Amino acid sequence: MFPFIIIFIMGLFLILPQQVFAIPAFARQYKVSCNTCHAAFPRLNSYGEQFADENYRMPNWRDTVLDTGDSMLALPKYVPLSIRAMAYAQVREGKYIDPVSGETEKADTDFQAPYMIKILSSAPLSDRISFYFYGILAEKGENGTVIVEDAWFSYSSIFNTGIDLMIGQFQISDLMFPRELRLTFQDYMIYRMAGITYDRGVIFSKGFDPVSIDLGLVNGNGIEENLKINSPGYKRPDHMFDNDRKKTAFGRIGVDIAGVSAGLFGLYGKQKTKLTTSAGTKSGSRYADKKIYGLDISGNVNDKVYYFFQYLYNDWGKYFDDTPNKKYQWWGVFAGVDYVYSDKVVLSVLYNYADAGDFDGTSTVYEGININTLTLTYSYYFMRNVKGIIEATYDFQSKDNDPDFVGHETKEGYILIGFDAAF
């Protein structure tokens, strides 16, 4: 009950800040420097957030389209494409451990190049409609597999109501802190653990200055294609992106007080249960309630020091088929500070903590929700859009001493050095 009391009290002081996914295509389109929207790539400044408020375009966007003599056609003068590429070398403690057999593979030193190559694009298509997408050409050693992650249309003030619409594929967690805009290599771990990253659906947004509200609905099963439609007959071409009739609803409400932003998040949906056998990696036969409650706070000091905090409380209902009368709750936080020391140097700190709660002692992979790490990152900007990073993560947890192969079987600290560029 205590977490709910905290969230209720903080809910009186909330805001929903709009976010923008700025890319170099925007800089080329409007002939401006990256630092127009970025305090330090990819971290946004206040103008970058304002850019989102105007549906991802500047007031002179019409000057950037091809003159066809047709007022009903707004084609960019060139296809707006950008590339983001990353390459790293790591020394780390983490290793692969099969959760059932305990089979282990370890590489203490690892050249991760390319770590990721992305192609990005966005353009205003009318006075009210914009489109954005990015796809991955290579990720974490998988070459030759193209994956589209963000891909959505946005429509400002549908039917002149002041309600904005976004429909497509996106990260639910972007309502709080977009993972793609973080300065650290280390992730915002509780977003991944809670399963509130990529999904397909719709978001409606409305501002009541200074309060803003977002309400959304998604399939609730990620972004994988699920079922072929074959009920009318043989070899039908379409697919169902959802694999059941259940949807996941979520929302966020907020307010901005003296430059400090805070937000209250809530989600309700269903998710397939798991079996405790095979370390919880096999699906069960039921659906369990999925409830998530969150609190986020952020702000900056003189556009130099940016701070952020996220709390998530997860109630996953009767999650295991083997224990149908037991409910499972867990919680986690992350917090960080980015200090823009100069045009060349940015220092970042990120702390990740999660408590597996009721999953402790289940001998399933969900014991691995437990995390307690501190990350320090030094970013050096050779150019506005090219940076080198040195990052170290320290793991405060002790390794498990139990006989199973799940949980904290190995430490997860690392030292990383590499490049991140967008062009």
Side-chain angles (χ1 to χ4, degrees), residues 121-415:
S121 182
S122 180
L125 304 178
S126 77
D127 289 329
R128 295 190 178 184
I129 300 173
S130 295
F131 180 72
Y132 176 93
F133 97 95
Y134 86 76
I136 296 175
L137 303 181
E139 181 179 24
K140 301 176 184 177
E142 289 193 18
N143 292 305
T145 301
V146 177
I147 300 173
V148 174
E149 292 197 331
D150 279 302
W152 39 259
F153 288 95
S154 57
Y155 192 115
S156 63
S157 191
I158 55 176
F159 306 116
N160 295 315
T161 59
I163 299 174
D164 298 333
L165 164 72
M166 184 169 76
I167 183 169
Q169 188 167 287
F170 48 80
Q171 298 196 71
I172 298 172
S173 57
D174 284 346
L175 291 182
M176 287 80 75
F177 301 115
R179 294 168 53 237
E180 299 298 327
L181 301 183
R182 68 185 188 276
L183 290 180
T184 58
F185 170 84
Q186 177 69 299
D187 210 341
Y188 302 154
M189 294 301 297
I190 55 175
Y191 287 165
R192 299 173 64 95
M193 294 172 176
I196 56 172
T197 57
Y198 289 102
D199 217 318
R200 296 172 171 133
V202 63
I203 297 177
F204 296 94
S205 304
K206 174 69 174 178
F208 304 91
D209 192 25
V211 177
S212 296
I213 297 175
D214 269 27
L215 296 174
L217 197 68
V218 294
N219 286 341
N221 59 353
I223 60 173
E224 296 298 321
E225 185 181 84
N226 282 276
L227 297 175
K228 293 182 180 179
I229 295 176
N230 60 6
S231 56
Y234 180 63
K235 288 286 188 180
R236 296 307 189 265
D238 205 1
H239 291 73
M240 290 186 288
F241 287 25
D242 204 346
N243 59 5
D244 58 61
R245 66 183 61 184
K246 302 170 179 64
K247 301 296 182 184
T248 295
F250 59 93
R252 186 176 180 278
I253 184 172
V255 67
D256 188 5
I257 300 176
V260 178
S261 300
L264 179 64
F265 173 80
L267 177 146
Y268 176 77
K270 298 280 189 178
Q271 60 185 348
K272 200 70 177 290
T273 57
K274 298 290 184 179
L275 299 172
T276 54
T277 54
S278 300
T281 59
K282 293 184 178 181
S283 295
S285 59
R286 298 182 294 103
Y287 283 89
D289 288 342
K290 181 176 184 177
K291 302 174 186 175
I292 300 177
Y293 309 93
L295 168 69
D296 59 90
I297 301 171
S298 64
N300 77 82
V301 180
N302 299 324
D303 288 327
K304 285 287 187 180
V305 178
Y306 294 81
Y307 58 88
F308 51 95
F309 168 84
Q310 176 73 68
Y311 167 86
L312 283 185
Y313 181 84
N314 291 263
D315 182 344
W316 284 6
K318 300 171 182 178
Y319 190 61
F320 291 124
D321 269 10
D322 315 66
T323 54
N325 297 318
K326 181 174 175 54
K327 293 185 177 181
Y328 293 85
Q329 290 90 27
W330 65 274
W331 66 276
V333 301
F334 66 80
V337 176
D338 297 324
Y339 173 40
V340 184
Y341 177 76
S342 68
D343 285 345
K344 294 284 190 179
V345 175
V346 178
L347 306 174
S348 302
V349 180
L350 175 64
Y351 178 66
N352 276 294
Y353 181 87
D355 185 332
D358 295 321
F359 288 107
D360 279 335
T362 59
S363 294
T364 67
V365 293
Y366 299 95
E367 289 189 29
I369 288 174
N370 286 320
I371 188 172
N372 188 5
T373 61
L374 179 68
T375 300
L376 305 176
T377 307
Y378 173 90
S379 301
Y380 182 83
Y381 287 79
F382 299 94
M383 301 291 284
R384 296 287 186 195
N385 59 329
V386 183
K387 67 175 180 176
I389 75 167
I390 300 173
E391 181 169 300
T393 288
Y394 182 78
D395 182 3
F396 293 98
Q397 286 192 86
S398 300
K399 291 193 291 185
D400 284 350
N401 294 315
D402 51 18
D404 60 33
F405 308 113
V406 296
H408 205 64
E409 302 301 297
T410 178
K411 302 279 279 185
E412 53 187 306
Y414 63 82
I415 298 175

